[in-house]
């Protein structure tokens, strides 16, 4: 004899007629057919009972481009970095300081690849004296990785590292804004500036690759010479 609560459950089934009839045996068709919105939290029980093989969860609304996002529903800024560039400089620079400066500049660049940092500020962040910062920075600029626009302002070469956009929060005087500078536009601007060195206007990592191969060849010759010297010494003492 069923109890009174059981009879009520049978006579008053909770069915949402708006939910589509999904073929549970065909997962591709099931996931391709959207479910109607669940009107209330108790409706999740209906959904779970109707599709027992489907995992039901509730998560936050996905924000567009969640990379350095400024606030909900605000497109975030993002950077484009060349993996080939990272690979080459990791092999080329034998000292850590140039690499540390490049990483710092990548982190501090603004929309359009501009870096607003003085050498004193770089030295403060990295705990390095200004003369050492200047020497390492000159070496970096010789290869066209960055160039100096004016005192305290440098520009990344767009093919190597580039901040496409940035979100600037509101202040008391200015509203919040999203600044975006297309990479192709900045490349055209740099190539049209005949006052810049060719390595900046037409960047290439070939010179650094050649230097890496020459360095490896020289070091291999040094190792071979040391090995031969040890063998000669062993023969003369035996």
């Amino acid at each position: 004899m069923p109890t009174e609560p059981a009879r009520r459950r049978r006579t008053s089934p909770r069915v949402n007629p708006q939910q589509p009839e999904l073929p549970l045996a065909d997962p591709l068709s099931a996931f391709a057919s959207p479910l109607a919105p669940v009107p209330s939290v108790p409706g999740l029980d209906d959904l779970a009972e109707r599709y027992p093989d489907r995992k039901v969860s509730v998560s936050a609304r996905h924000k567009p481009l969640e990379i350095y996002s400024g606030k909900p529903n605000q497109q975030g800024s993002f950077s484009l970095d060349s993996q080939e560039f990272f690979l080459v400089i990791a092999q080329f620079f034998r000292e850590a300081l140039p690499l540390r400066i490049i990483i710092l500049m990548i982190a501090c660049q603004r929309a359009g690849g501009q870096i607003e940092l003085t050498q004193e500020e770089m030295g403060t962040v990295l705990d390095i004296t200004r003369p050492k910062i200047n020497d390492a920075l000159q070496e970096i600029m010789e290869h066209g990785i960055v160039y100096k626009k004016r005192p305290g302002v440098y520009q990344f070469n767009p093919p190597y590292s580039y901040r496409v956009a940035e979100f600037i929060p509101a202040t008391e005087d200015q509203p919040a804004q999203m600044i975006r500078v297309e990479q192709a536009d900045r490349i055209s601007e740099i190539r049209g500036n005949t006052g810049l060195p060719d390595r900046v206007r037409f960047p290439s990592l070939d010179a650094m690759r050649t230097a890496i191969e020459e360095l490896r060849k020289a070091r291999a010759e040094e190792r071979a010479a040391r090995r031969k010297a040890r063998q000669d010494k062993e023969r003369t003492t035996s």
Side-chain angles (χ1 to χ4, degrees):
M1 183 70 179
T3 62
E4 182 63 24
R7 285 199 299 271
R8 284 201 299 268
R9 284 197 296 271
R10 284 199 302 268
T11 57
S12 303
R14 293 179 296 177
V15 178
N16 186 352
Q18 295 180 350
Q19 296 294 343
E21 295 293 339
L22 300 182
L24 299 180
D26 185 357
L28 291 179
S29 298
F31 281 96
S33 302
L35 296 175
V38 179
S40 61
V41 173
L44 291 176
D45 295 333
D46 300 330
L47 188 61
E49 291 175 3
R50 189 165 187 177
Y51 307 112
D53 297 331
R54 300 276 295 273
K55 182 178 179 180
V56 179
S57 64
V58 179
S59 61
R61 184 185 296 274
H62 179 70
K63 293 183 292 185
L65 195 58
E66 294 183 286
I67 307 175
Y68 303 126
S69 56
K71 60 181 181 179
N73 302 321
Q74 173 67 60
Q75 184 181 19
S77 58
F78 58 98
S79 296
L80 304 173
D81 299 302
S82 167
Q83 293 180 337
E84 183 181 18
F85 167 65
F86 285 145
L87 178 63
V88 170
I89 63 173
Q91 297 174 82
F92 177 80
F93 291 108
R94 312 302 296 182
E95 301 294 332
L97 183 55
L99 292 173
R100 293 176 64 194
I101 292 177
I102 291 173
I103 293 173
L104 175 62
M105 295 179 119
I106 289 175
C108 294
Q109 64 176 311
R110 311 293 299 271
Q114 186 166 283
I115 310 124
E116 299 176 4
L117 277 178
T118 65
Q119 293 187 16
E120 288 85 357
E121 290 170 335
M122 296 180 195
T124 299
V125 173
L126 300 177
D127 194 21
I128 300 292
T129 62
R130 181 179 174 181
K132 291 183 178 180
I133 291 289
N134 182 67
D135 291 343
L137 196 54
Q138 293 299 323
E139 183 180 5
I140 293 170
M141 290 192 294
E142 285 177 2
H143 297 283
I145 297 172
V146 299
Y147 67 91
K148 189 174 183 178
K149 299 186 70 173
R150 56 183 182 274
V153 179
Y154 300 85
Q155 170 68 46
F156 245 116
N157 214 325
Y160 298 151
S161 180
Y162 192 75
R163 175 68 62 88
V164 178
E166 65 175 313
F167 173 75
I168 301 178
T171 63
E172 295 180 357
D173 302 326
Q174 298 291 335
Q177 58 179 326
M178 169 64 68
I179 298 179
R180 183 183 180 96
V181 183
E182 295 298 335
Q183 188 180 32
D185 295 340
R186 185 50 53 89
I187 291 176
S188 298
E189 174 188 327
I190 292 174
R191 287 184 175 176
N193 188 347
T194 57
L196 294 174
D198 286 344
R199 284 191 179 179
V200 174
R201 296 176 60 207
F202 306 100
S204 173
L205 298 174
D206 289 341
M208 298 179 74
R209 292 194 192 94
T210 300
I212 291 170
E213 293 304 319
E214 292 176 350
L215 177 62
R216 287 179 172 175
K217 181 179 179 181
R219 299 183 80 184
E221 291 174 352
E222 291 175 0
R223 288 193 295 268
R226 289 195 298 268
R227 187 163 51 248
K228 185 176 183 303
R230 285 196 302 269
Q231 293 172 351
D232 293 343
K233 185 177 179 180
E234 291 172 358
R235 281 196 294 268
T236 57
T237 57
S238 59

